[in-house]
């Protein structure tokens, strides 16, 4: 066995996993606050990445301007989706809401194809290009810097939710909606903010992932990997999102490198299947007690 | 409200068609289905076959999602199992279609049963994700198990045959597909007049109370999965005979979403809704194709926009119906009928 | 003879003790009522008997056999039927289908028979329909609503449909969780009459949780008082009414006269 190769692949996988963790964090924020499973998160990422393409490529803006603008665009998209399509579904069955997000995903894919065509695109490169070595292990610079940026955003998020007023409101809403409401927290606003912040995290990750792997209307498939991450970690667990994100990212990359690209999805979904059978609410998720 | 329909026996009261008016209209419908292929051109026949296949699969998914409340993202995968079963059997054994179709259904039902097993532990959305996993695995198997499935190339097969008759043309396939579709819907209609259908609905409405009232949840959920997959398998088998080639790309994840959309747009938990939804969703792309063809002389790049427009329309239909008409086309149909019942006394 | 015996049952969720050492006997052919303040564990006890909750300790014996380890559907099949505190009808079905669902455990039609709906399958459905019509719908006077979706019915009628569904299970023991809660006086009287008739004519043992003391004292043969997960008194209505622990549990202090009135409203009315 070539340990050097394994090490490099693993490193790349872990870095990818870091980005998965960031997307999963966005997913879990939305789920915790609103109990909506967002099947459109991959498409929101894709949309933000295309916005970046338009700003940096088409309009030739500096990446320093284009990235924030695209990320804000993705966050705004999340907010608009919540306000126009998720809010009317308040109180409907969770399955109906999930299907709304599936419909949204389909609309976004269509819009992207309509505006930017179905052809694969390359993002203008904006990350440093010097190769990165960790010990003897080489890591592609795009992946390395993508990972660092992703982690920085992730840490900011965690601090924000731990200490800020908005973060407390969000956590309160997640643990008991009615109580939060009666304590004067504007629950509707929290719902909207959760979608904005969740989409914002996903947008950052979307641009970073697209910067390494390219962009096409099929990009949203990544949402399926994220789904695996959050189920394995536990839908309502931020810790689970982080741990499972790193693990699934690593597994996917290693399976792809050793077995071939067609094994990436089956490998992670096999983990998913095992988790569903033996630990259905994920590694760190909570199991609600049912009442008659 | 109809008057003058008093019944003397419970059999008459629980019949599918309780009034002579209903019987009359159903006969007209059957007659129409019979005459249609004689009048229709080849394009309409082709559409008729497509709708028939979609009706079978949608009815199956409706049993699972609409009536039992178990959302499935695996319908295309189950159809694929049926299609590959038919393709492999007809090439390697030469069995006639009634047997291959039955085996296609049973094979898909067995797979559906396996996929339903996690419902022992999980429910709701977690189960939906289990079905998603199943569709990923199935797609992988279709593409990679080359000795059986032919890999990415897929399998091609001979037309369906029985007693020396081959079903080669769309005209012949119509007479294979449409009667099966009618049978499939009638069987489902029967199901929901009996204890098993009631158990499905009870699980959808309140699973815990259903269990306390004597319904073993796992057994009935698995039954619903198996039955729904059986329908999908038969639909997939017909798909194989219809196109006579089966590849992994014939059954993408978007097809599962297509069927989910058909159930939603038609009306969840309503058999008529399933039929309307299947027909509607099959015809929307065709209508869009016609529109594109009509526009091309004026806007030469109209065809480029067709596929994205279709995705937007599908998505918008799902979202729009869920928000504005959760009971689907079936409810709209009911309102239209009501209007004519009362007309001209109320409008 | 006791048809149902509960021995030293304990149930806790995390650190919260819902039931502690609860023992209770339900004599056959009686109306046995469990009373007690809110949160005393009455519904939890029902859920243990139904098999929905698994108690950590103790055993439940039904017709001389332990119920341990039996899943809820099995228990239903043995003749334990119940209604729910918050009405648990199947909202997507008509009244008739809800009631027929109760007969599920006594029917045999398989999947294939259901799809074909011919011969035995149809005969079985018709037999159930006839029995439901003759014995239950007539008896509970709900023939005018049989075709209606349950979701649109007024509360009192929904309670009655739930009772009908439980009766269709042909139970030996019928557990009623607050059968008259939220009803007006007339509806309560109807329900009390139905409960008495069910015991008299159908020979079904009734185990009931109820807050309405007037009705409890009127129709019960046997009363158990539950407080903080423990049985604090048991006996016939007269005995229970006089028990000082019961009075304390209900009032928390010594305002005994008003409590006597509450526990025994008939005397007042007379």
């Amino acid at each position: 066995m070539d340990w050097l190769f394994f090490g490099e692949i693993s490193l790349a996988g872990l870095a990818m996993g870091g980005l998965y963790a960031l997307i999963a964090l966005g997913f879990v924020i939305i789920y915790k606050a609103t109990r909506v499973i967002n099947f459109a998160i991959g498409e929101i990422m894709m949309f933000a990445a295309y916005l970046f393409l338009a700003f940096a490529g088409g309009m030739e803006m500096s990446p320093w301007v284009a990235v924030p603008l695209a990320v804000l665009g993705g966050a705004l998209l999340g907010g608009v989706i919540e306000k126009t399509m998720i809010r009317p579904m308040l109180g409907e069955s969770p399955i109906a809401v999930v299907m709304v997000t599936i419909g949204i995903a389909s609309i976004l894919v269509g819009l992207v194809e309509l505006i930017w065509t179905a052809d694969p695109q390359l993002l203008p490169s904006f990350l440093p290009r010097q190769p990165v070595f960790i010990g003897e292990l080489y890591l592609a610079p795009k992946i390395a810097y993508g990972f660092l940026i992703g982690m920085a955003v992730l840490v900011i998020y965690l601090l924000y939710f731990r200490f800020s007023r908005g973060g407390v409101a969000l956590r309160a809403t997640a643990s008991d909606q009615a109580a939060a409401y009666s304590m004067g927290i504007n629950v509707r606003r929290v719902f909207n903010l959760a979608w904005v912040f969740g989409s914002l995290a996903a947008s950052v990750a979307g641009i970073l992932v697209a910067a390494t792997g390219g962009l096409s209307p099929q990009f949203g498939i990544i949402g399926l990997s994220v789904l695996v991450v959050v189920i394995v970690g536990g839908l309502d667990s931020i810790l689970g999102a982080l741990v499972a994100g790193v693990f699934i990212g690593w597994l996917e990359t290693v399976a792809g490198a050793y077995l071939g690209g067609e094994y990436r999805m089956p490998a992670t979904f096999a983990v998913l299947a095992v988790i569903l059978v033996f630990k259905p609410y994920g590694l760190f998720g909570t199991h609600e007690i049912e009442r008659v | 409200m109809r008057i003058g329909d008093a019944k003397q026996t419970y059999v008459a009261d629980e019949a599918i068609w309780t009034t002579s008016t209903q019987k009359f209209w159903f006969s007209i419908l059957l007659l129409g289905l019979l005459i249609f292929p004689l009048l229709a051109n080849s394009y309409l026949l082709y559409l008729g076959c497509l709708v028939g296949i979609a009706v079978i699969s949608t009815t199956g998914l409706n049993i699972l999602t609409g009536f039992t409340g178990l959302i499935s993202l695996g319908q295309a995968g189950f159809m694929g199992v049926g299609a590959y079963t038919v393709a492999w059997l007809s090439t390697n054994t030469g069995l006639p279609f009634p047997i291959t179709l039955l085996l296609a259904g049973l094979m898909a039902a067995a797979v559906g049963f396996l996929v339903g097993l996690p419902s022992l532990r999980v429910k709701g959305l977690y189960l939906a994700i289990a079905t998603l996993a199943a569709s990923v695995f199935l797609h992988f198997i279709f593409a990679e198990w080359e000795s059986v499935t032919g890999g990415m190339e897929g399998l091609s097969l001979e037309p369906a045959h029985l007693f020396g008759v081959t079903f080669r043309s769309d005209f012949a396939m119509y007479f294979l597909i449409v009667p099966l579709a009618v049978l499939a819907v009638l069987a489902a209609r029967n199901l929901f007049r009996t204890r098993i259908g009631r158990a499905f609905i009870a699980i959808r409405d309140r699973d815990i109370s259903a269990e306390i009232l004597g319904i073993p949840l796992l057994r009935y959920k698995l039954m619903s999965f198996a039955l729904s997959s059986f329908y999908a398998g038969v639909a997939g088998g017909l798909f194989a005979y219809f196109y006579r080639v089966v590849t992994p790309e014939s059954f993408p994840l978007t097809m599962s979403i297509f069927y989910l959309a058909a159930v939603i747009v038609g009306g969840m938990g309503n058999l008529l809704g399933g039929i309307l939804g299947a027909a509607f969703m099959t015809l929307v792309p065709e209508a869009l194709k016609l529109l594109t063809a009509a526009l091309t002389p004026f806007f030469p790049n109209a065809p480029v926009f067709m596929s994205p427009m279709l995705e937007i329309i599908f998505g918008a239909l799902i979202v729009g119906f869920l928000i504005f008409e959760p009971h689907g086309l079936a409810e709209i149909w009911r309102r239209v009928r009501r209007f004519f019942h009362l007309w001209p006394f109320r409008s | 003879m006791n048809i149902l015996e509960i021995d030293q049952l304990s149930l806790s969720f995390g650190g919260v003790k819902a039931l502690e050492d609860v023992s209770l006997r339900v004599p056959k052919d009686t109306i046995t009522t469990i009373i007690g303040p809110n949160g005393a564990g009455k519904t939890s006890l029902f859920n243990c008997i139904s098999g929905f909750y698994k108690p950590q300790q103790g055993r439940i014996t039904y017709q001389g056999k332990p119920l341990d380890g039996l899943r809820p559907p099995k228990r239903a099949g043995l003749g334990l039927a119940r209604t729910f505190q918050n009405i648990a009808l199947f909202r997507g079905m008509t009244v008739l289908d809800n009631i027929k669902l109760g007969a599920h455990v006594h029917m045999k039609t398989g999947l294939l028979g259901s799809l074909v709906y011919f011969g035995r399958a149809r005969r079985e459905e018709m037999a159930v329909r006839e029995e439901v019509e003759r014995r239950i719908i007539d008896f509970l006077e709900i023939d005018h609503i049989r075709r209606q979706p349950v979701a649109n019915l007024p509360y009192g009628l929904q309670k009655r449909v739930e009772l009908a569904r439980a009766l269709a299970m042909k139970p030996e023991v019928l557990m009623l969780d607050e059968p008259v809660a939220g009803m007006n006086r007339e509806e309560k009287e109807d329900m009390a009459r139905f409960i008495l008739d069910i015991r008299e004519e159908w020979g079904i043992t009734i185990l009931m949780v109820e807050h309405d003391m007037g009705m409890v004292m009127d129709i019960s043969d046997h009363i158990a008082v539950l407080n903080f997960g423990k049985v604090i008194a048991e006996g016939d209505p007269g005995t229970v009414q006089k028990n000082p622990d019961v009075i304390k549990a209900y009032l928390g202090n010594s305002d005994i006269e008003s409590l006597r009135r509450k526990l025994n409203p008939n005397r007042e009315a007379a």
Side-chain angles (χ1 to χ4, degrees):
Chain A
M1 183 151 179
D2 182 352
W3 287 103
L4 189 67
F5 180 66
F6 179 76
E8 286 185 347
I9 292 297
S10 290
L11 207 56
L14 292 175
M16 186 64 200
L19 293 182
Y20 277 179
L22 180 59
I23 313 165
L25 178 70
F27 187 102
V28 170
I29 289 170
I30 293 177
Y31 179 79
K32 269 179 96 86
T34 66
R35 299 284 139 178
V36 172
I37 295 201
N38 182 6
F39 270 70
I41 195 135
E43 280 71 17
I44 292 175
M45 292 168 62
M46 171 183 76
F47 202 83
Y50 270 105
L51 282 181
F52 171 73
L53 180 72
F55 294 144
M59 302 182 205
E60 298 183 351
M61 290 183 194
S62 132
W64 292 104
V65 184
V67 170
L69 272 185
V71 167
L72 283 181
L76 188 69
L77 176 70
V80 169
I81 288 174
E82 194 278 335
K83 208 147 211 164
T84 56
M85 291 184 260
I86 302 296
R87 186 159 303 170
M89 298 299 290
L90 267 182
E92 298 288 328
S93 82
I95 286 176
V97 186
V98 162
M99 289 196 281
V100 168
T101 67
I102 291 177
I104 292 168
S106 182
I107 295 176
L108 288 178
V109 171
L111 276 180
V112 160
E113 280 182 35
L114 210 56
I115 304 173
W116 287 285
T117 76
D119 305 324
Q121 317 248 11
L122 276 181
L123 258 53
S125 66
F126 60 97
L127 297 167
R129 280 177 218 179
Q130 312 90 311
V132 177
F133 283 94
I134 298 172
E136 280 179 51
L137 303 174
Y138 166 77
L139 187 60
K142 283 176 180 173
I143 299 181
Y145 289 105
F147 174 76
L148 287 180
I149 298 172
M151 286 308 99
V153 174
L154 203 145
V155 168
I156 294 172
Y157 261 71
L158 292 181
L159 292 176
Y160 180 80
F161 287 115
R162 189 92 209 108
F163 299 112
S164 80
R165 204 174 123 90
V168 172
L170 193 126
R171 283 187 289 139
T173 309
S175 79
D176 190 335
Q177 237 170 66
Y181 200 79
S182 62
M183 297 309 283
I185 290 173
N186 186 342
V187 171
R188 288 178 165 222
R189 219 173 106 78
V190 170
F191 283 5
N192 196 259
L193 280 181
W195 272 82
V196 169
F197 279 113
S199 306
L200 194 133
S203 300
V204 173
I207 295 170
L208 294 173
V209 174
T212 53
L215 188 57
S216 81
Q218 273 82 50
F219 185 84
I221 298 279
I222 196 172
L224 295 185
S225 301
V226 176
L227 212 55
V228 174
V229 169
V230 292
I231 297 291
V232 170
L235 273 177
D236 57 356
S237 163
I238 287 183
L239 176 66
L242 305 185
V243 175
V246 172
F247 172 65
I248 294 294
W250 172 81
L251 179 69
E252 207 178 77
T253 312
V254 169
Y258 281 90
L259 301 169
E262 68 273 23
Y263 282 85
R264 290 169 63 104
M265 292 255 280
T268 55
F269 272 82
V271 174
L272 172 81
V274 171
I275 287 284
L276 277 183
V277 173
F278 293 104
K279 207 146 175 14
Y281 296 92
L283 296 175
F284 303 96
T286 48
H287 183 178
E288 280 162 30
I289 295 173
E290 289 182 293
R291 300 180 61 107
V292 175
Chain B
M1 177 90 176
R2 295 266 176 201
I3 55 164
D5 64 346
K7 304 293 180 311
Q8 301 200 335
T9 64
Y10 292 128
V11 176
D13 195 42
E14 300 223 347
I16 295 181
W17 303 281
T18 51
T19 64
S20 48
T21 325
Q22 286 173 333
K23 281 178 197 150
F24 171 75
W25 283 112
F26 184 69
S27 316
I28 293 286
L29 175 70
L30 283 187
L31 203 65
L33 287 176
L34 202 65
I35 295 173
F36 173 80
L38 306 175
L39 306 176
N41 60 22
S42 63
Y43 177 63
L44 286 178
L45 268 176
Y46 163 82
L47 286 186
C49 292
L50 282 191
V51 170
I53 294 173
V55 164
I56 297 175
S57 190
T58 308
T59 302
L61 186 61
N62 207 355
I63 290 174
L64 184 69
T65 301
F67 287 94
T68 321
L70 305 171
I71 181 176
S72 166
L73 291 167
Q75 193 73 353
F78 299 138
M79 284 180 73
V81 171
Y84 274 104
T85 307
V86 159
W88 191 88
L89 282 175
S90 78
T91 309
N92 292 287
T93 66
L95 286 168
F97 75 82
I99 297 174
T100 57
L101 282 179
L102 181 67
L103 290 174
L106 290 177
M107 185 67 112
V111 175
F113 181 88
L114 283 180
V115 174
L117 275 179
S119 59
L120 176 67
R121 299 284 305 272
V122 299
K123 54 198 221 181
L125 297 160
Y126 284 89
L127 199 59
I129 287 157
T131 63
L132 184 66
S135 79
V136 168
F137 292 137
L138 287 173
H139 198 269
F140 179 74
I141 292 169
F142 297 156
E144 302 297 320
W145 195 14
E146 288 185 17
S147 57
V148 172
T149 64
M152 292 310 287
E153 305 261 298
L155 295 174
S156 51
L157 62 153
E158 292 297 302
H161 66 91
L162 183 71
F163 304 131
V165 184
T166 49
F167 293 76
R168 194 178 297 276
S169 64
D170 288 357
F171 182 80
M173 281 305 291
Y174 180 92
F175 284 100
L176 183 59
I177 293 171
V178 171
L180 280 176
V182 172
L183 265 180
V185 175
L186 286 181
R189 183 71 187 79
N190 281 337
L191 181 72
F192 293 105
R193 296 197 279 167
T194 61
R195 70 191 277 265
I196 292 181
R198 286 193 296 270
F200 286 174
I201 300 175
I203 290 173
R204 176 194 68 189
D205 285 355
R206 273 171 191 271
D207 52 352
I208 295 169
S209 331
E211 192 178 22
I212 291 175
L213 288 163
I215 293 164
L217 296 185
L218 180 64
R219 186 191 305 167
Y220 281 89
K221 283 181 178 176
L222 289 180
M223 205 186 277
S224 184
F225 257 107
L227 183 62
S228 159
S229 313
F230 182 89
Y231 273 69
V234 171
L238 290 170
F239 181 98
Y241 278 132
F242 186 63
Y243 287 108
R244 274 185 257 134
V245 57
V246 182
T247 71
E249 297 316 313
S250 312
F251 305 100
L253 185 60
T254 45
M255 194 177 188
S256 292
I257 294 170
F258 169 91
Y259 281 109
L260 214 48
V263 170
I264 296 168
V265 168
M268 279 187 277
N270 186 313
L271 289 172
L272 174 69
I275 300 169
L276 295 176
F280 185 77
M281 292 299 285
T282 310
L283 297 181
V284 162
E286 298 302 324
L288 198 63
K289 265 184 212 160
L290 291 180
L291 183 69
T292 315
L295 287 177
T296 309
F298 311 103
F299 306 97
N301 54 357
V304 179
F305 296 125
M306 210 197 88
S307 145
M309 278 313 293
L310 199 58
E311 302 214 53
I312 294 175
I313 291 174
F314 273 5
L317 281 171
I318 296 180
V319 176
F321 267 92
L322 280 169
I323 294 178
F324 297 111
E325 189 57 271
H327 299 293
L329 289 170
E331 175 63 21
I332 295 176
W333 169 251
R334 200 189 62 84
R335 279 206 297 267
V336 170
R337 256 185 18 173
R338 201 178 149 72
F339 175 81
F340 283 106
H341 272 187
L342 300 175
W343 192 84
F345 300 111
R346 260 182 76 185
S347 56
Chain C
M1 198 202 105
N2 299 328
I3 190 163
L4 192 64
E5 280 181 28
I6 292 151
D7 286 313
Q8 298 179 318
L9 209 63
S10 295
L11 172 77
S12 55
F13 299 104
V16 184
K17 284 186 175 144
L19 295 171
E20 202 180 345
D21 244 1
V22 170
S23 296
L24 178 72
R25 61 203 168 75
V26 180
K28 195 166 162 43
D29 295 329
T30 60
I31 296 177
T32 299
T33 306
I34 304 169
I35 60 173
N38 286 325
K42 304 182 298 289
T43 298
S44 294
L45 182 60
F46 267 25
N47 283 339
C48 286
I49 300 173
S50 289
F52 179 63
Y53 289 162
K54 288 171 196 67
Q56 280 86 9
Q57 271 172 41
R59 73 189 320 188
I60 301 170
T61 316
Y62 168 69
Q63 291 183 324
K65 285 182 222 99
L67 288 177
D68 312 347
L70 289 185
R71 305 274 307 146
K74 273 272 186 297
R75 300 185 188 207
L78 290 175
L80 286 166
R82 73 178 276 192
T83 64
F84 299 85
Q85 186 177 355
N86 316 309
I87 297 174
L89 289 169
F90 302 109
R91 299 176 66 82
M93 289 194 241
T94 62
V95 168
L96 191 57
D97 278 343
N98 262 283
I99 301 172
K100 280 195 212 159
L101 189 110
H104 185 90
V105 286
H106 300 293
M107 299 174 77
K108 292 190 177 59
T109 305
L111 182 57
L112 219 52
S114 283
L115 292 169
V116 180
Y117 194 71
F118 198 73
R120 224 190 65 182
R122 192 166 80 168
R123 279 200 302 278
E124 190 180 59
E125 283 295 327
M126 288 309 125
V128 165
R129 171 83 194 270
E130 198 173 332
E131 174 154 347
V132 162
E133 289 282 349
R134 217 185 52 233
R135 296 196 60 188
I136 300 172
I137 292 188
D138 262 13
F139 168 64
L140 292 176
E141 299 155 23
I142 46 178
D143 41 332
H144 56 298
I145 53 164
R146 64 162 82 82
R147 288 276 174 215
Q148 289 191 27
V150 290
N152 304 340
L153 294 176
Y155 181 81
L157 278 179
Q158 291 201 14
K159 282 257 175 199
R160 216 184 276 188
V161 174
E162 231 197 352
L163 179 62
R165 186 178 65 185
L167 284 177
M169 296 169 75
K170 297 188 199 157
E172 301 280 331
V173 174
L174 177 58
M175 297 190 279
L176 304 172
D177 201 343
E178 303 199 10
V180 302
M183 286 185 170
N184 64 32
R185 191 191 171 91
E186 200 176 327
E187 287 170 329
K188 278 182 187 172
E189 279 169 4
D190 279 344
M191 187 56 84
R193 178 166 55 85
F194 290 137
I195 294 173
L196 285 169
D197 282 354
I198 289 167
R199 200 258 315 252
E200 299 299 325
E201 289 173 24
W202 301 42
I204 294 174
T205 307
I206 307 243
L207 175 61
M208 175 168 82
V209 164
E210 185 49 64
H211 281 296
D212 186 285
M213 287 307 150
M215 170 169 155
V216 169
M217 297 301 161
D218 263 0
I219 70 171
S220 308
D221 304 306
H222 185 82
I223 296 177
V225 188
L226 213 57
N227 193 22
F228 290 116
K230 290 181 181 166
V231 175
I232 57 170
E234 202 179 345
D236 60 57
T239 323
V240 167
Q241 268 169 350
K242 294 193 197 84
N243 188 313
D245 286 339
V246 177
I247 294 166
K248 215 167 111 197
Y250 263 80
L251 225 64
N253 60 33
S254 54
D255 184 5
I256 290 179
E257 205 36 52
S258 79
L259 186 77
R260 284 238 166 85
R261 277 202 298 278
K262 196 174 165 197
L263 286 175
N264 197 355
N266 301 322
R267 192 191 296 159
E268 185 118 327

